[in-house]
């Protein structure tokens, strides 16, 4: 048995040490997490023997060793191995794959493999899917995006697909766009293809009841609306239909709709910070029938005003809780 097999740790149990070997003031004393071969093998699904071969032959391996000479991989080492594994799985010869993986600096490795870290087999697989979405967006490959999204939707329920893959991928893409590492065309493409796939879920789950009193919209001037589609799809999966108004719905239009249709449930999304003198509050003050209003997205203030006796005004912090709040029937006010 290889000496390292004997020291193999359970997955999710990395070695952690205080790394003061670097000696410079800034890095001295920082904590690094390092992984044994067995753990890396489990995270990436690459056999331990292959990992050792890649290390010996191509230099794709751990940057650290224990005093006893056992291999220890840092997160950056693992990213490089991940790139190597991805290329070889696509049929690229190991030597060429290694050349590409070795040419990547830390930043490039982050872009290729995403910022998700693995915390368990499922998260690890989700992290790889997030990386695959980012790579496909970066290389402007709509067919790959579509395949990845469809496979994710087949393998996971919608809430898990959104929480563990789509939203992290969108956040990573947003961060990379913010850092100038990825063009806005990649961001548009990743979101456009996702719109198509979420709409397919909505169409495929024709609601058993079409409750026109559920309204979903993005706030005034708000161009982001993917979370609305995710919510519409999740409601449709539960047999609840909704009127989804999409992006940039003027508050006056929301007001007109409320006053004419008296819906019982309203969901509003805002990624961008809302103005201090939010016009929605005075609209809600005029609502005199029982209504649940759910606000999603980082654009809304943490403190919400009291919205009067008829309206139950709440935040939702994720897709599951938003769906739950909207699916819960509205109690008549006393
Ligand atoms: C795709 C995208 C676009 C697409 C939108 C396409 C579409 N059909 O929706 C396009 C290209 C049009 C676009 C445009 C813009 N965008 Co944009 N965009 C994004 C991106 C990548 C994803 C948006 C999204 O769907 N988010 C959904 C989830 C992933 O958002 P979240 O904030 O992480 O969610 C948190 C919670 O709300 C909750 N949550 C997650 N999912 C769900 C679901 C539900 C139902 C609920 C209730 C909660 C919930 O969990 C998270 C917190 O842990 C984000 C990155 C990001 N982090 O959101 C940037 C981002 C939102 N965009 C940004 C910007 C700046 C813009 C533009 C202003 C750029 C420009 N200069 O033109 C414009 C227009 C803005 C406007 N007026 O609306 C910034 C916003 C910064 C800010 N807060 O002010 C972001 C954060 C990118 C960044 N890193 O800077 N964008």
């Amino acid at each position: 048995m290889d000496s390292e097999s004997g020291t193999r740790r359970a997955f999710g149990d990395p070695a952690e040490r205080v790394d003061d070997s670097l000696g410079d003031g800034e890095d001295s004393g920082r904590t690094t997490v390092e992984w044994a071969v067995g753990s890396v093998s489990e995270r990436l699904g690459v056999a331990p023997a292959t990992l050792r071969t890649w290390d010996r032959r191509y230099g794709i391996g751990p940057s650290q060793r224990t005093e006893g000479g056992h291999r220890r991989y840092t997160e950056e080492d693992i990213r490089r191995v991940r790139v190597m594994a991805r290329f070889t799985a696509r049929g690229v010869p190991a030597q060429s794959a290694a050349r590409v993986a070795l040419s990547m600096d830390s930043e490039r490795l982050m872009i290729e493999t995403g910022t998700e870290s693995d915390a368990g087999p499922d998260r690890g697989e989700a992290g790889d899917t997030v990386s695959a979405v980012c790579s496909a967006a970066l290389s402007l490959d709509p067919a790959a995006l579509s395949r990845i999204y469809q496979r994710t939707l087949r393998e996971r329920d919608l809430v898990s697909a959104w929480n563990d893959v789509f939203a992290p991928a969108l956040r990573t893409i947003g961060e990379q766009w913010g850092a100038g590492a990825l063009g806005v065309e990649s961001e548009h493409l990743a979101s456009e293809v996702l719109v198509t796939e979420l709409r397919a879920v909505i169409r495929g789950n024709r609601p058993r009841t079409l409750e026109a009193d559920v309204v979903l919209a993005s706030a005034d001037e708000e161009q982001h609306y993917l979370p609305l589609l995710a919510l519409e799809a999740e409601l449709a999966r539960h047999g609840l239909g909704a009127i989804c108004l999409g992006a940039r719905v003027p508050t006056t239009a929301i007001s007109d709709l409320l006053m004419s249709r008296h819906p019982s449930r309203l969901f509003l999304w805002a990624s961008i910070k809302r103005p201090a003198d939010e016009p929605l509050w005075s609209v809600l003050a005029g609502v005199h029938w029982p209504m649940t209003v759910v606000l999603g997205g980082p654009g809304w203030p943490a403190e919400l005003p009291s919205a009067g006796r008829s309206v139950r005004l709440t935040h939702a912090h994720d897709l599951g809780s938003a769906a739950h709040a909207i699916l819960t029937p509205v109690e008549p006010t006393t």
Side-chain angles (χ1 to χ4, degrees):
M1 181 169 76
D2 185 286
S3 63
E4 282 166 308
S5 307
T7 61
R8 178 172 155 161
R9 289 161 181 277
F11 185 73
D13 181 23
E16 190 178 283
R17 70 185 178 107
V18 175
D19 179 3
D20 53 12
S21 61
L22 298 166
D24 72 73
E26 208 186 317
D27 284 323
S28 173
R30 75 180 180 183
T31 302
T32 58
V33 176
E34 296 169 357
W35 300 79
V37 170
S39 308
V40 177
S41 165
E42 276 188 53
R43 279 178 64 169
L44 305 186
V46 177
T50 308
L51 289 174
R52 291 191 194 97
T53 305
W54 285 352
D55 182 20
R56 264 197 321 274
R57 288 204 195 142
Y58 310 114
I60 302 288
S63 52
Q64 309 293 324
R65 296 253 171 184
T66 64
E67 279 177 12
H70 299 304
R71 293 171 167 88
R72 289 291 181 264
Y73 291 75
T74 63
E75 286 298 330
E76 183 168 323
D77 299 334
I78 293 175
R79 287 180 194 282
R80 206 176 299 281
V81 175
R82 217 187 263 290
V83 170
M84 175 81 179
R86 194 179 296 154
F87 280 121
T88 52
R90 286 184 198 148
V92 176
Q95 198 150 23
S96 316
R99 231 188 351 261
V100 176
L102 285 170
S103 72
M104 292 183 178
D105 60 12
S106 309
E107 199 183 333
R108 187 71 210 165
L109 285 170
M110 288 290 266
I111 293 167
E112 281 296 323
T113 60
T115 54
E116 277 279 291
S117 64
D118 312 40
D122 196 38
R123 288 282 308 279
E125 187 235 305
D128 284 344
T129 312
V130 168
S131 306
V133 171
C134 296
S135 298
L138 194 63
S139 46
L140 294 172
D141 187 343
L145 282 166
S146 191
R147 264 197 316 276
I148 300 164
Y149 292 152
Q150 286 176 13
R151 196 191 63 220
T152 305
L153 287 164
R154 265 197 314 275
E155 290 174 353
R156 293 167 179 269
D157 64 51
L158 183 67
V159 170
S160 160
W162 178 262
N163 287 344
D164 300 331
V165 176
F166 301 154
L170 289 168
R171 279 194 287 273
T172 305
I173 287 171
E175 282 159 19
Q176 291 180 357
W177 169 79
L182 169 148
V184 77
E185 65 282 6
S186 291
E187 183 176 303
H188 273 271
L189 185 66
S191 52
E192 273 303 302
V193 178
L194 187 52
V195 165
T196 304
E197 299 307 336
L198 290 172
R199 289 219 163 107
V201 175
I202 296 164
R203 266 200 312 278
N205 283 281
R206 279 182 189 281
R208 291 185 294 272
T209 55
L210 188 64
E211 298 222 9
D213 71 339
V214 177
V215 176
L216 318 178
S218 283
D220 218 352
E221 295 308 323
E222 176 68 54
Q223 289 182 25
H224 304 94
Y225 70 99
L226 277 164
L228 291 185
L229 292 184
L231 180 58
E232 188 184 4
E234 181 58 8
L235 296 177
R237 278 186 0 91
H238 285 84
L240 184 62
I243 298 181
C244 183
L245 303 177
R248 302 183 68 184
V249 185
T251 309
T252 48
I254 291 174
S255 172
D256 290 350
L257 189 145
L258 296 189
M259 298 310 156
S260 62
R261 303 291 290 268
H262 295 187
S264 70
R265 284 157 281 181
L266 171 66
F267 174 83
L268 291 173
W269 178 264
S271 283
I272 303 291
K273 196 172 179 344
R274 299 292 303 150
D277 56 342
E278 173 61 68
L280 181 70
W281 308 150
S282 56
V283 173
L284 296 183
V287 169
H288 53 80
W289 62 93
M291 183 165 76
T292 295
V293 178
V294 182
L295 304 177
W300 299 105
E303 292 286 321
L304 298 179
S306 104
R309 282 189 54 223
S310 308
V311 175
R312 190 171 166 270
L313 179 61
T314 58
H315 284 115
H317 298 289
D318 56 37
L319 176 58
S321 59
H324 181 260
I326 297 290
L327 284 163
T328 306
V330 180
E331 301 288 335
T333 42
T334 49

